[in-house]
Amino acid sequence: MAIQRVCVVGGGVIGSLYAGHLARDVEVSVLTRRPEHAAALSADGLRISGKSDFTARVHATADAADLPDFDLGIIATKATQLEAAAAGLDGRFPGATLMTIQNGLGAEELVRGHGDWPLLSAVTFMSGVRHADTHVEYELDTETWLGPFAGTATYDQAQEVEALLAASGLHARAFPDLRPAQWSKLIFNATVNTVAALTDLPHVGAFAARTQDADLGHLVHDLMDEGKAVAAAVGVELHEDPWEMNVHAVRRGETLAAEGHYAHVPSMLEDVRGGRPTEIDFITGALVGEAARHGVPVPLHTAMYRLVKARESA
Amino acid sequence: MRIAVIGCGAVGSLFAANLGTLDDVEVWAYDPWQEHVDAINANGLRLSGAGDVVGKVHATADPAALPPAELGIVATKSQHTSEALAATAHAFEHGAVCSVQNGAGNEELVAEHVRQVIRGTTFPAGHVIERGHVGWDTKGDTHIGPFEPSPAPMAAVEALAAACTRAGMPTHALADARGAQWRKLIFNAASNAIAALTGRTHGQVAEPPTRELAWAVMAEGRAVADAQGITLDMSPEELFDHAARRDVAYGHKPSMLQDVEAGRETEIDFLNGAIVAFGERYGVDAPLNRALTELIKGKESA
């Protein structure tokens, strides 16, 4: 299968980064939530600045019924909007392969409920800043990791998408089994996002500090230990140690800060600041659910889950 | 008899103004807020709300001006205890000093500067309306007793309780005031930290999804109290539910939530942090209280 046509579902930062880069090589359609967003993209194109610099032509619509046929669908909505997005594709595009990129766990099963497309699981460490509907700044040019989901797609297909993304100027890596990477990121996210959302701190050095008794790094470390115990009970060998991911990200953030950039604001903190629902159910909720299924106590993640849920509704 | 109040904010003012209505007690107050001090000296210290009172109080912003006193009441924010006592300890060379502050760990700090120390827990609450004028929001009892490692004589404890009670602040002199103090500490640690992190009122904290967390946080506090041989005088859980009633304090914003909203330092070290510290001393782990302490400290630094 040669991938000629890509549909990106979701016009947020991550969706825009995929759509913009891929549109330089293949035909790209974008499904947005707001009609005015789609109209602006179709009229003006999509500008990517920062780590890349170009403007790409895309075909955008806010109505899933108007989507042209595609070979690869990248589902890049927030986890909280995934159900609505998948419902729009229900039973259509039988020849397509879909790739889910949501934080947390459970996106693949949810999409599976709307059609029997071959699925690729993916996680991404890219980040960007949205300046306008038609302009996204590419901030961290880190990798997208992808792999076949539960035997529905093949490793060959994952490698084909890896090659497509790489040719477009993005960084990607295909794995025969994504779960080790997915769980590393799940534990990292369940910890860093909730701590940030409750303390109002961006991902700064305090997350790795463990010199004083009441330093935040102790809590971060304890939360990650709980997460690692769940992964072990599930039978997943982690791709990367989440604590080392944390230390590494904080150091990179400090280097960037020294160059005058702002520290990274985790998406859950952005959501809380914006008064939007967070992805807590898909991230910490999923982790706590897996823990319960395997009989692993996770009192700290349970506490974080309740605190973030309460903060959302306050 | 001379009584000096150290820290004349809301709670300090409730004691100072009420005591200032007694003919046989000379009340002094130390507070660094000069305009407040001037207003008190010019017009007396005024309370309104749950009770309307104007008390005669000698106020000063200069700690050196405090004369020797038989009794002292410390009502600063906990994080200011050490600094305030270092400056005023000269007045209590022969006096007994009682902390009526939040949480645990204040008496230990008072005892670094004063020999005769009284442990105290007070329920009444208020808020500063303007200089010289404090709103009296809640009436309630105060429990005091000798601070075991550096105790004031029981006679001094009883003298302070009698004066406060006569002045309209019902105060109980107890041989062991730890049960009252830890009951309030356990209640406050759960309500304050969860409210401060979530933006919820006390009544909302008592509801899902935080209700179970609040109860788990209180269970840790109970275990730390048990390990010290403290018998709580009342159930913090029952008080939690009582305070959560719509006709009591459902909509009350706990002080730590007010502090984080105003960008002020909180009393976390003397609440959840104290439960963790006393737990460590007595071999009891309090992981949820530790997590809340670290989150609040993170929030303070944000």
Side-chain angles (χ1 to χ4, degrees):
Chain A
M1 169 188 85
I3 302 169
Q4 306 284 352
R5 302 158 301 172
V6 174
C7 172
V8 176
V9 178
V13 168
I14 298 296
S16 297
L17 291 175
Y18 286 121
H21 284 86
L22 290 170
R24 298 192 291 177
D25 295 337
V26 295
E27 257 177 63
V28 170
S29 54
V30 180
L31 180 63
T32 66
R33 208 162 33 84
R34 290 175 294 117
E36 61 273 25
H37 187 181
L41 284 173
S42 292
D44 304 340
L46 173 56
R47 180 173 169 220
I48 306 290
S49 63
K51 285 285 192 313
S52 300
D53 195 3
F54 59 84
T55 299
R57 297 218 54 85
V58 296
H59 169 76
T61 173
D63 182 356
D66 288 346
L67 282 176
D69 218 3
F70 54 85
D71 309 310
L72 172 68
I74 299 177
I75 318 287
T77 65
K78 287 250 180 203
T80 47
Q81 286 151 18
L82 182 62
E83 175 60 40
L89 308 179
D90 200 314
R92 301 169 61 204
F93 312 108
T97 297
L98 297 189
M99 179 167 96
T100 56
I101 195 87
Q102 282 66 30
N103 282 325
L105 294 179
E108 299 91 340
E109 287 85 350
L110 195 154
V111 172
R112 238 9 226 177
H114 293 279
D116 52 4
W117 307 283
L119 289 184
L120 295 168
S121 302
V123 298
T124 185
F125 298 89
M126 295 194 295
S127 75
V129 179
R130 181 184 172 284
H131 291 293
D133 274 355
T134 55
H135 177 198
V136 168
E137 182 185 339
Y138 187 16
E139 193 183 42
L140 286 180
D141 59 344
T142 29
E143 286 179 327
T144 295
W145 293 348
L146 63 154
F149 170 69
T152 61
T154 63
Y155 182 42
D156 281 351
Q157 285 174 299
Q159 287 176 305
E160 200 180 339
V161 173
E162 173 193 34
L164 179 77
L165 292 172
S168 80
L170 295 169
H171 301 281
R173 200 162 143 200
F175 292 81
D177 179 4
L178 190 70
R179 290 198 312 157
Q182 211 168 16
W183 271 82
S184 291
K185 193 178 180 201
L186 172 69
I187 296 167
F188 175 88
N189 268 339
T191 303
V192 171
N193 271 287
T194 53
V195 170
L198 292 172
T199 59
D200 208 26
L201 282 172
H203 194 200
V204 292
F207 282 66
R210 288 193 294 163
T211 48
Q212 305 288 320
D213 264 1
D215 276 349
L216 202 51
H218 296 293
L219 175 60
V220 170
H221 198 270
D222 291 348
L223 284 164
M224 286 173 168
D225 276 352
E226 278 190 3
K228 282 151 83 169
V230 180
V234 171
V236 172
E237 200 168 316
L238 295 177
H239 176 73
E240 264 187 292
D241 184 281
W243 173 257
E244 280 162 27
M245 292 165 72
N246 171 55
V247 171
H248 179 74
V250 158
R251 285 208 193 110
R252 187 179 52 206
E254 281 172 347
T255 311
L256 286 171
E259 293 165 3
H261 298 276
Y262 292 110
H264 176 61
V265 176
S267 62
M268 199 176 285
L269 173 54
E270 272 185 344
D271 287 338
V272 161
R273 283 180 177 170
R276 294 184 295 268
T278 71
E279 295 182 314
I280 186 75
D281 281 317
F282 299 88
I283 300 175
T284 302
L287 182 64
V288 170
E290 288 292 321
R293 207 162 301 137
H294 292 86
V296 181
V298 284
L300 292 175
H301 280 291
T302 305
M304 300 300 276
Y305 177 79
R306 291 183 173 139
L307 289 168
V308 172
K309 291 295 271 188
R311 173 135 198 217
E312 267 185 341
S313 64
Chain B
M1 180 166 58
R2 191 179 285 140
I3 302 181
V5 175
I6 307 303
C8 203
V11 168
S13 292
L14 299 183
F15 281 94
N18 279 303
L19 286 166
T21 63
L22 299 179
D23 291 336
D24 56 341
V25 175
E26 180 182 317
V27 181
W28 281 73
Y30 160 67
D31 196 276
W33 184 14
Q34 185 68 53
E35 292 82 0
H36 186 45
V37 161
D38 292 342
I40 293 170
N41 286 330
N43 308 311
L45 177 52
R46 181 173 163 217
L47 306 180
S48 60
D52 290 304
V53 172
V54 178
K56 181 172 162 52
V57 175
H58 305 271
T60 177
D62 173 14
L66 276 184
E70 287 95 326
L71 293 166
I73 296 174
V74 185
T76 64
K77 286 266 183 192
S78 297
Q79 57 271 28
H80 302 136
T81 304
S82 287
E83 195 189 343
L85 263 293
T88 58
H90 65 86
F92 306 113
E93 214 168 304
H94 304 289
V97 176
C98 179
S99 164
V100 293
Q101 296 155 286
N102 277 331
N106 289 294
E107 290 84 2
E108 283 77 357
L109 297 177
V110 174
E112 289 175 8
H113 302 279
V114 173
R115 271 184 301 112
Q116 299 179 22
V117 181
I118 302 174
R119 182 192 292 285
T121 301
T122 191
F123 191 80
H127 65 282
V128 176
I129 293 172
E130 58 180 332
R131 53 193 186 167
H133 183 192
V134 163
W136 190 353
D137 298 332
T138 321
K139 290 197 170 185
D141 288 5
T142 299
H143 296 82
I144 63 176
F147 174 59
E148 301 74 9
S150 186
M154 200 61 202
V157 176
E158 283 164 356
L160 180 59
C164 291
T165 301
R166 272 197 295 134
M169 296 282 281
T171 300
H172 308 275
L174 305 170
D176 183 355
R178 295 179 307 162
Q181 187 174 40
W182 275 75
R183 170 254 303 164
K184 189 176 181 202
L185 165 63
I186 292 167
F187 168 105
N188 265 342
S191 179
N192 275 273
I194 296 175
L197 289 170
T198 61
R200 294 187 141 209
T201 66
H202 175 78
Q204 291 172 324
V205 169
E207 295 169 347
T210 43
R211 181 180 179 83
E212 276 187 66
L213 175 60
W215 258 245
V217 170
M218 288 193 279
E220 286 185 359
R222 273 183 176 275
V224 175
D226 280 349
Q228 298 172 77
I230 296 172
T231 307
L232 303 182
D233 66 343
M234 281 187 260
S235 153
E237 293 86 355
E238 280 174 29
L239 285 173
F240 210 93
D241 273 337
H242 175 77
R245 282 168 39 172
R246 300 225 171 237
D247 58 340
V248 181
Y250 182 91
H252 173 66
K253 281 188 177 182
S255 62
M256 196 179 291
L257 172 55
Q258 297 179 38
D259 286 341
V260 301
E261 284 182 348
R264 290 189 296 259
E265 205 186 336
T266 73
E267 294 185 309
I268 189 71
D269 283 335
F270 297 85
L271 294 173
N272 308 76
I275 290 173
V276 173
F278 279 91
E280 277 170 5
R281 210 169 302 160
Y282 288 85
V284 180
D285 197 21
L288 293 173
N289 279 282
R290 187 182 315 114
L292 294 173
T293 303
E294 291 175 14
L295 288 168
I296 293 288
K297 285 187 169 279
K299 200 174 184 73
E300 284 178 344
S301 75

